[in-house]
Amino acid sequence: EKLFHYRDRSDVVIPPSHQAELITDTDTAEDFLSKYGFITPVNWEDAQWDEEKLSEDFSSGDTMSLIQEGDSLSWSGNTKDPSENAQLITALKEFQRMIGLPVTGLFDDATKAAMNKPRCGVPDKEADSKTTAEHNTTTTGGEGSQLGNSTETDQEQVKDPEQKTAETRLVHTRSERLSR
Amino acid sequence: KKRHLASLLGQTRRRREEGEMEYMAFSKAVLRWRLIGEGYSSQLSIDDQRYIFRLAFRMWSEVSPLEFVEDSHSPLEDIDIRLGFGTGRHLGCTQRFDGAGREFAHAWFLGDIHFDDDEHFTAPNTGDGISLLKVAVHEIGHVLGLPHLYRAGSIMQPSYLPQESSFELDWQDRKAIQHLYGSCNGRFSAVFDWIRKERTPYGEMRVRFNTYFMRDGLYWLYENRQNRTRYGDPVAVEVGWHGIPANGVDAHVHVWTRGNDAIYFFKGSQFWKYDTENDQVFTEDEEGRRYPRPISEGFPGVPGPIDTAFYDRRDSQIYFFRGPSVYAFDVKANRLAKGYPKKITQVFPAVLPGDHPVANLDVAYFSYTHNAIFLLKDTSYWRVVSSRDRRRRPFLPYNGLLPHREVDEQWFDICNVHSTALRV
């Protein structure tokens, strides 16, 4: 090993075993869509409970995607019958719609890039996906109404000495204050 | 085992059954969190990690009634939210991390948050890498019950967006969390507009002001235009207002006439004069009077302590409120106005019979933003009939109180943070 590493570790080469598998084809894409609930909503709450069963499955080193139906588990496997294709296309469209890509149902480069972005591991669609969808529609409604009318004397936008002073004061305690 | 843990969970959380939205939410206002000892990151110092998580929890506390406290000592089952780092198979979790790239963290309803230590997590404002602060705020949002939101600008988007110079919880994220936990409300001890006069580079005199809310030892700058408090507030009173009592004041009065421009803070039976130029209280004013001074000395006839007070520019009098009574003080004559004290119900009659604070006000506040006087008590406020109101509806009584509304419907997101998070 080198005697010194850069402190930000930018020179450390991550061994391939610690690199996330990239999504390159429809199979891995299907895994992605299944994991985040686009094929069947994931019962994320229970995923944590079925520890013994899952750990056995995982210990087999099997990276196939898991679809839970109630308490029993079933495998999606790699068989490609037309209905699964339709399911995949529907899931792709749902994913593309959610992230604002053109809804084509095709596994194109933009979709691939979006799937490979760093992201949170919590599924996008959980078991009660209906509410999630509705929640989204409700939260994407218009901005809250701007209340309070501004008057000529309301010059808050211009940095006021107090705010600057306060921030200066607080810079000593919380350096991000200015950026925050 | 599954049912047992679920029953445990039931004790600290309840499912909100509102219409079609079913989300889990904590049923306690103060939540304990801990960075698990065996789950430290190998990339940042422990202090950095703990500091970033403190800031992340504080950001949620600033927009919700929840308060968070780091607890490194209680038994683990008393900890509501546990955070830890791991790679691959980690912390007994059923979901294995995938290495560098793609999945960087996940959260569980029981309050566990796991971060993939194969990711390149960085402290705020370091530019490259994945901001641990941003990811932490996102995952805490999950633990608090929020799902992924696909709205531009939401912190709950599932994919990581490189950090802009700064990020904050926007209006709709605030509404989403308040939908689960309610909005912030509570009694204030003082509300006032702090006015400064400055000269522009062209030599013009410009009047500027900011609105402040005080509650005990905390204060918030309220940005009227943005309908929210300043990012990062509340701040401790002693940090922002030098010399006034650290646990807050009863009233702020700004006497502003052509010949007089003085700001006073009142607490108990004493009052202070504030030096706007030097942003601190006067220890001694131009006339050699030392502060603090007894209220009875500076305002003869006015008893201390008072509940609140405000200066009415319409008649150049200060209205002091105490219990059911109001004392109008003629500043020019330096004595109580004739006929005072009177009942508040008499001087400020209710427009809607029975809809009146009657006594023990919290705040009397003249707002330059609304060009109106507000009387606050508990979580409600009454707006005083203005001259504009009376031009439209002449039958309205002078100084009448319009029907009350809730403070948090007019001034938003004025939320406490836990005292241990105040200095973050």
Side-chain angles (χ1 to χ4, degrees):
Chain A
E1 240 186 286
K2 282 173 50 177
L3 277 181
F4 294 100
H5 287 289
Y6 294 137
R7 182 168 290 279
D8 66 359
R9 298 182 178 282
S10 55
D11 62 329
V12 172
V13 175
I14 298 177
S17 64
H18 279 244
Q19 287 285 351
E21 178 196 342
L22 289 179
I23 296 181
T24 53
D25 55 29
T26 54
D27 282 341
T28 47
E30 189 176 357
D31 286 344
F32 175 92
L33 293 167
S34 173
K35 174 174 181 171
Y36 292 110
F38 287 96
I39 292 181
T40 309
V42 174
N43 196 339
W44 181 248
E45 270 186 48
D46 284 348
Q48 185 175 19
W49 308 119
D50 294 351
E51 197 168 323
E52 293 83 79
K53 193 171 294 220
L54 286 176
S55 59
E56 284 162 15
D57 300 330
F58 266 99
S59 60
S60 67
D62 194 337
T63 57
M64 297 291 274
S65 62
L66 305 176
I67 296 179
Q68 293 174 2
E69 292 172 47
D71 286 339
S72 61
L73 295 176
S74 68
W75 303 92
S76 62
N78 272 332
T79 51
K80 281 279 174 276
D81 65 338
S83 65
E84 282 211 6
N85 261 345
Q87 207 181 25
L88 179 61
I89 290 170
T90 308
L92 269 173
K93 282 185 177 177
E94 179 67 19
F95 176 71
Q96 288 164 341
R97 183 177 305 111
M98 280 253 185
I99 57 172
L101 285 177
V103 181
T104 60
L106 296 176
F107 182 57
D108 51 26
D109 285 344
T111 307
K112 187 187 301 181
M115 287 184 175
N116 281 312
K117 267 186 178 176
R119 60 159 289 155
C120 167
V122 174
D124 301 326
K125 300 175 76 60
E126 294 178 46
D128 53 351
S129 61
K130 183 166 90 40
T131 49
T132 307
E134 284 174 1
H135 183 75
N136 273 341
T137 43
T138 51
T139 53
T140 52
E143 279 293 318
S145 59
Q146 291 291 328
L147 299 178
N149 44 21
S150 59
T151 63
E152 273 309 309
T153 55
D154 178 358
Q155 300 285 330
E156 288 174 32
Q157 279 184 1
V158 177
K159 278 234 174 273
D160 58 62
E162 202 282 345
Q163 186 175 5
K164 179 173 69 58
T165 312
E167 284 171 347
T168 307
R169 264 194 297 275
L170 283 181
V171 160
H172 300 300
T173 55
R174 195 170 73 163
S175 59
E176 313 84 80
R177 172 79 181 179
L178 284 177
S179 64
R180 187 157 189 272
Chain B
K1 186 177 175 186
K2 178 170 155 181
R3 298 288 162 257
H4 169 65
L5 286 176
S7 64
L8 271 182
L9 177 65
Q11 284 166 21
T12 60
R13 295 198 182 175
R14 54 176 166 58
R15 186 183 290 273
R16 289 200 93 174
E17 311 268 355
E18 284 188 42
E20 73 280 13
M21 291 196 187
E22 261 189 41
Y23 292 97
M24 299 288 273
F26 284 95
S27 54
K28 334 194 281 189
V30 180
L31 297 175
R32 300 178 171 283
W33 67 271
R34 177 183 303 169
L35 174 56
I36 301 297
E38 63 271 21
Y40 290 143
S41 167
S42 58
Q43 305 180 61
L44 296 163
S45 73
I46 295 174
D47 283 345
D48 277 349
Q49 296 168 49
R50 292 175 54 218
Y51 173 74
I52 290 169
F53 291 147
R54 266 207 303 276
L55 184 54
F57 278 111
R58 174 176 163 131
M59 289 177 74
W60 282 110
S61 193
E62 292 169 358
V63 297
S64 71
L66 295 171
E67 293 187 10
F68 300 93
V69 60
E70 183 181 10
D71 184 334
S72 314
H73 305 294
S74 301
L76 202 53
E77 60 267 21
D78 291 341
I79 304 299
D80 301 296
I81 303 174
R82 290 164 293 275
L83 303 99
F85 291 81
T87 58
R89 177 149 308 287
H90 59 278
L91 302 170
C93 179
T94 57
Q95 303 286 325
R96 187 170 57 189
F97 279 133
D98 55 11
R102 293 186 56 206
E103 185 176 343
F104 49 59
H106 51 227
W108 298 97
F109 288 115
L110 249 190
D112 287 3
I113 298 178
H114 303 161
F115 300 88
D116 184 349
D117 211 16
D118 276 328
E119 302 299 339
H120 181 38
F121 285 118
T122 53
N125 301 320
T126 42
D128 64 346
I130 290 184
S131 161
L132 180 59
L133 175 65
K134 197 164 182 182
V135 172
V137 171
H138 175 98
E139 300 303 333
I140 292 167
H142 279 316
V143 168
L144 296 179
L146 291 181
H148 281 150
L149 300 171
Y150 274 95
R151 187 176 43 76
S154 170
I155 190 58
M156 296 311 295
Q157 286 190 73
S159 297
Y160 178 81
L161 294 174
Q163 182 171 324
E164 308 88 41
S165 60
S166 66
F167 78 94
E168 287 290 345
L169 295 168
D170 70 2
W171 173 270
Q172 298 216 17
D173 280 343
R174 295 168 180 236
K175 294 307 136 199
I177 198 69
Q178 287 165 16
H179 180 74
L180 291 179
Y181 294 96
S183 56
C184 302
N185 51 43
R187 305 180 64 176
F188 292 101
S189 51
V191 179
F192 55 92
D193 288 345
W194 189 41
I195 302 216
R196 278 114 37 228
K197 292 192 232 52
E198 287 172 352
R199 285 204 181 278
T200 64
Y202 309 106
E204 296 159 324
M205 179 62 77
R206 177 190 297 177
V207 176
R208 296 164 22 93
F209 78 92
N210 285 109
T211 301
Y212 290 89
F213 284 75
M214 272 191 191
R215 176 186 292 144
D216 306 326
L218 303 176
Y219 79 92
W220 296 259
L221 183 151
Y222 191 80
E223 297 191 24
N224 289 288
R225 240 171 251 243
Q226 312 296 336
N227 288 311
R228 58 167 172 72
T229 56
R230 175 177 48 184
Y231 289 139
D233 281 17
V235 179
V237 166
E238 59 198 352
V239 172
W241 301 90
H242 298 138
I244 66 174
N247 59 355
V249 296
D250 297 326
H252 161 285
V253 169
H254 181 194
V255 176
W256 191 13
T257 63
R258 194 173 298 281
N260 192 358
D261 183 358
I263 292 176
Y264 301 105
F265 282 103
F266 296 81
K267 179 76 176 184
S269 59
Q270 297 178 309
F271 73 96
W272 289 255
K273 190 175 181 182
Y274 204 76
D275 178 358
T276 305
E277 295 307 314
N278 298 301
D279 199 4
Q280 60 186 18
V281 294
F282 281 107
T283 48
E284 188 175 320
D285 63 12
E286 303 86 46
E287 284 88 37
R289 287 176 297 211
R290 299 190 62 79
Y291 290 89
R293 297 172 63 200
I295 294 177
S296 52
E297 183 183 294
F299 303 91
V302 177
I306 59 172
D307 291 332
T308 186
F310 81 98
Y311 176 71
D312 192 339
R313 296 181 67 200
R314 295 173 302 177
D315 54 15
S316 301
Q317 294 184 138
I318 301 177
Y319 288 79
F320 292 96
F321 296 84
R322 174 185 161 101
S325 304
V326 56
Y327 300 74
F329 185 84
D330 186 338
V331 174
K332 206 168 292 180
N334 200 38
R335 67 172 188 287
L336 279 183
K338 199 163 45 167
Y340 282 89
K342 295 177 180 177
K343 291 290 180 201
I344 298 176
T345 49
Q346 180 190 350
V347 179
F348 295 89
V351 169
L352 185 66
D355 190 346
H356 194 283
V358 180
N360 307 316
L361 293 181
D362 292 333
V363 171
Y365 159 53
F366 174 73
S367 160
Y368 285 97
T369 302
H370 305 85
N371 206 17
I373 302 166
F374 295 94
L375 300 184
L376 279 72
K377 181 182 178 183
D378 295 334
T379 61
S380 304
Y381 75 83
W382 290 259
R383 186 165 68 84
V384 174
V385 169
S386 65
S387 50
R388 186 176 11 170
D389 291 324
R390 298 189 71 206
R391 275 199 298 277
R392 289 198 197 129
R393 295 182 280 169
F395 55 87
L396 289 175
Y398 182 80
N399 272 355
L401 296 189
L402 295 169
H404 80 280
R405 290 184 58 202
E406 290 306 298
V407 171
D408 62 5
E409 291 171 5
Q410 171 100 342
W411 294 281
F412 300 96
D413 306 351
I414 307 177
C415 303
N416 279 17
V417 298
H418 196 271
S419 55
T420 57
L422 203 52
R423 291 213 173 273
V424 177

